[in-house]
């Protein structure tokens, strides 16, 4: 709508009601009334647009979708109750029994559970490919491959996928490219600009940004959103108006938050690179990171996540977490407050050791979601925990 991201994020909102409110109100209603019997019929026949029932649509969710479509440069979208419902609904809305998925091996643990244990019950199979071995990707495709699924940067190893390259491959193979853009947000990366067909978010993370609500968003081309909307409408993973309202308001500060997250994260990553207690640091905008060249091409900044491997493995990692004085130990990320987790024992614990190692989740890997606190305080906290965990 506007020329600049920040203005869209602030100024796109629902049409003002007769009350002349300046800020979008909450529409806490389960249903909506019809003008007459013909209006009701036309709405359910989808001959006209409008609200019927909050499981289908609501002014608060509609505002959020309109805003996110503008920010992500997509045509249409739906909201869902959580990030994982966005993952499942986007995939399940597009596949049928007998279809095949090609997925990057480095994906979130619950997404792996969907591909490995849930979808096979319905006759949908998945082949995993290594992000760092693109030469093997084409061989993974089958005649029945319907979807290619990736995260970039990946959770928690921060591997980077070349979006333009994988998009070209998908077009050649006539497969739908789904990209989880949770770690970047549209402020840092717009996968649709590089050819992605569907972009999904756990809006719980940076889009909310303050650890308050759970939500998911699916965005993409109209013809692909249509079957996904049909699936969501009839299975019910709907987002509450309250949560949609919170996230839409949060988007007004997304740009300034992501700038500070990225500024703090690269300074922490640089500090960790110089620490004798650290074996490896992953951050996309570190010049020696394996994904640096691609990240610089498709990302505006490095984002707020830093992963590092502490010397001493699992035991040292646990001691490090226990030595932290004020960082939050939680599986969530994207908060104003710095949060820390040990993926091996939490978010990716359901993977086998071999599966974790295959995607770079080493026993001593620690994921830091760098918050908006002063960077000197953040580094001081990490420094003392490294010292007190020996």
């Amino acid at each position: 709508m506007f020329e600049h991201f920040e203005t869209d994020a602030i100024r796109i909102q629902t049409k003002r009601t007769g009350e002349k409110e300046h800020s979008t109100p909450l529409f806490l209603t389960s249903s909506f009334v019809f003008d007459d019997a013909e209006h009701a019929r036309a709405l359910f026949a989808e001959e006209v647009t409008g609200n019927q029932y909050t499981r289908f649509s609501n002014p608060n969710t509609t505002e959020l979708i309109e805003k996110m479509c503008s920010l992500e440069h997509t045509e249409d979208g739906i909201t869902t109750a959580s990030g994982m419902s966005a993952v499942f609904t986007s995939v399940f809305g597009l596949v049928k029994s007998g279809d095949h998925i090609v997925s990057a091996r480095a994906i979130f643990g619950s997404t792996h559970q969907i591909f490995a244990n849930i979808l096979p019950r319905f006759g949908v199979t998945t082949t995993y490919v290594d992000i760092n071995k693109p030469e093997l990707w084409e061989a993974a495709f089958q005649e029945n491959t319907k979807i290619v699924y990736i995260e970039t940067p990946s959770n928690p190893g921060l591997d980077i996928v070349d979006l333009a390259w994988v998009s070209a491959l998908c077009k050649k193979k006539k497969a739908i490219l789904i990209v989880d853009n949770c770690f970047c947000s549209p402020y840092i990366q717009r996968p649709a600009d590089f050819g992605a067909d569907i972009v999904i978010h756990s809006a719980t993370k940076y889009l909310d940004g303050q650890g308050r609500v759970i939500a998911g968003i699916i965005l993409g081309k109209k013809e692909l959103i249509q079957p996904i909307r049909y699936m969501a409408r009839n299975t019910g993973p709907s987002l509450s108006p309250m949560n949609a309202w919170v996230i839409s308001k949060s988007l007004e500060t997304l740009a300034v938050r992501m700038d500070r997250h990225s500024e703090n994260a690269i300074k922490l990553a640089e500090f960790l690179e110089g620490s004798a207690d650290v074996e490896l640091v992953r951050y996309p905008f570190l010049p020696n990171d394996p994904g640096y060249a691609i990240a610089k091409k498709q990302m505006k900044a490095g984002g707020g996540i830093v992963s590092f491997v502490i010397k001493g493995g699992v035991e040292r990692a646990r001691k490090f977490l226990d030595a932290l004085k004020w960082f939050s130990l939680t599986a969530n990320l994207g908060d104003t407050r710095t949060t820390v987790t040990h993926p091996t024992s939490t978010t990716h614990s359901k993977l086998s050791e071999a599966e974790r190692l295959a995607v770079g989740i080493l026993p001593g890997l620690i994921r830091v979601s760098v918050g908006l606190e002063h960077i000197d305080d953040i580094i001081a906290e990490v420094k003392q925990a490294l010292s007190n965990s020996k």
Side-chain angles (χ1 to χ4, degrees):
M1 179 182 287
F2 293 96
E3 184 178 351
H4 296 99
F5 182 100
E6 293 86 343
T7 312
D8 272 353
I10 293 169
R11 283 292 175 176
I12 292 176
Q13 62 182 53
T14 58
K15 184 179 179 180
R16 189 170 291 148
T17 74
E19 298 301 325
K20 304 297 183 183
E21 71 280 347
H22 183 235
S23 182
T24 298
L26 272 165
F27 290 86
L28 297 180
T29 178
S30 58
S31 62
F32 301 84
V33 298
F34 313 122
D35 295 338
D36 49 37
E38 173 56 23
H39 181 223
R41 185 206 63 79
L43 277 170
F44 277 84
E46 298 183 29
E47 295 172 0
V48 297
T49 59
N51 296 308
Q52 309 164 33
Y53 191 57
T54 287
R55 174 159 60 88
F56 303 161
S57 67
N58 176 285
N60 294 125
T61 56
T62 299
E63 176 184 290
L64 178 57
I65 292 165
E66 182 182 355
K67 190 177 290 189
M68 283 299 296
C69 282
S70 178
L71 300 182
E72 279 284 15
H73 293 175
T74 54
E75 296 175 354
D76 199 1
I78 67 165
T79 57
T80 65
S82 68
M84 285 314 305
S85 66
V87 174
F88 182 76
T89 306
S90 63
V91 173
F92 210 69
L94 294 171
V95 296
K96 64 182 185 305
S97 181
D99 282 343
H100 174 254
I101 296 169
V102 172
S103 172
R105 193 180 304 278
I107 55 175
F108 182 55
S110 292
T111 307
H112 169 74
Q113 295 301 319
I114 290 173
F115 289 162
N117 299 318
I118 296 176
L119 288 177
R121 301 179 194 172
F122 303 93
V124 179
T125 58
T126 299
T127 298
Y128 286 112
V129 288
D130 292 327
I131 287 176
N132 59 356
K133 296 179 181 178
E135 69 278 5
L136 302 180
W137 280 47
E138 190 162 356
F141 281 77
Q142 302 174 9
E143 289 185 2
N144 58 339
T145 299
K146 184 70 175 287
I147 286 172
V148 172
Y149 184 95
I150 62 172
E151 298 174 7
T152 183
S154 67
N155 182 11
L158 300 178
D159 290 314
I160 305 295
V161 181
D162 188 329
L163 287 168
W165 174 83
V166 74
S167 173
L169 178 60
C170 289
K171 286 177 172 55
K172 175 183 175 182
K173 296 293 186 177
K174 296 181 172 55
I176 298 166
L177 176 59
I178 300 178
V179 178
D180 183 336
N181 198 31
C182 171
F183 271 25
C184 284
S185 87
Y187 181 69
I188 286 181
Q189 177 175 266
R190 289 178 170 129
D193 287 353
F194 296 91
D197 300 300
I198 296 290
V199 180
I200 60 176
H201 287 273
S202 172
T204 313
K205 311 303 191 292
Y206 287 111
L207 301 188
D208 173 23
Q210 294 169 72
R212 298 169 297 185
V213 300
I214 291 176
I217 300 177
I218 307 170
L219 306 159
K221 299 176 180 177
K222 280 185 178 294
E223 65 268 23
L224 295 177
I225 293 297
Q226 184 177 358
I228 295 171
R229 179 180 288 112
Y230 172 83
M231 177 64 65
R233 180 170 173 150
N234 289 287
T235 57
S238 52
L239 180 63
S240 74
M242 176 70 189
N243 288 3
W245 181 86
V246 168
I247 293 165
S248 187
K249 295 301 292 180
S250 296
L251 289 174
E252 296 181 10
T253 61
L254 179 63
V256 292
R257 287 188 285 108
M258 294 310 296
D259 280 339
R260 177 58 67 86
H261 281 302
S262 300
E263 177 187 330
N264 280 354
I266 194 165
K267 290 177 180 177
L268 176 62
E270 290 168 347
F271 164 77
L272 289 167
E273 270 196 317
S275 172
D277 295 302
V278 174
E279 292 180 1
L280 173 70
V281 181
R282 294 299 308 271
Y283 185 71
F285 267 38
L286 285 177
N288 62 352
D289 190 90
Y292 177 75
I294 298 171
K296 291 287 285 187
K297 180 179 70 170
Q298 64 194 32
M299 295 167 61
K300 182 177 181 178
I305 307 297
V306 177
S307 291
F308 69 97
V309 179
I310 193 169
K311 291 181 180 178
V314 171
E315 288 307 313
R316 177 77 186 280
R318 288 174 177 167
K319 290 179 181 179
F320 173 83
L321 264 62
D322 288 343
L324 292 168
K325 295 179 179 179
W326 56 269
F327 281 4
S328 303
L329 303 187
T330 175
N332 195 29
L333 61 91
D335 202 304
T336 54
R337 294 157 290 189
T338 298
T339 67
V340 185
T341 191
H342 179 235
T344 294
S345 60
T346 58
T347 56
H348 291 70
S349 60
K350 296 296 189 295
L351 275 65
S352 68
E353 183 178 3
E355 288 170 335
R356 287 195 295 268
L357 293 176
V359 294
I361 304 176
L362 301 175
L365 182 74
I366 294 169
R367 187 191 73 193
V368 184
S369 174
V370 185
L372 306 184
E373 305 96 345
H374 195 283
I375 186 57
D376 290 350
D377 293 327
I378 292 171
I379 290 176
E381 168 76 332
V382 172
K383 188 174 182 179
Q384 70 81 20
L386 289 172
S387 176
N388 291 324
S389 61
K390 293 180 180 179

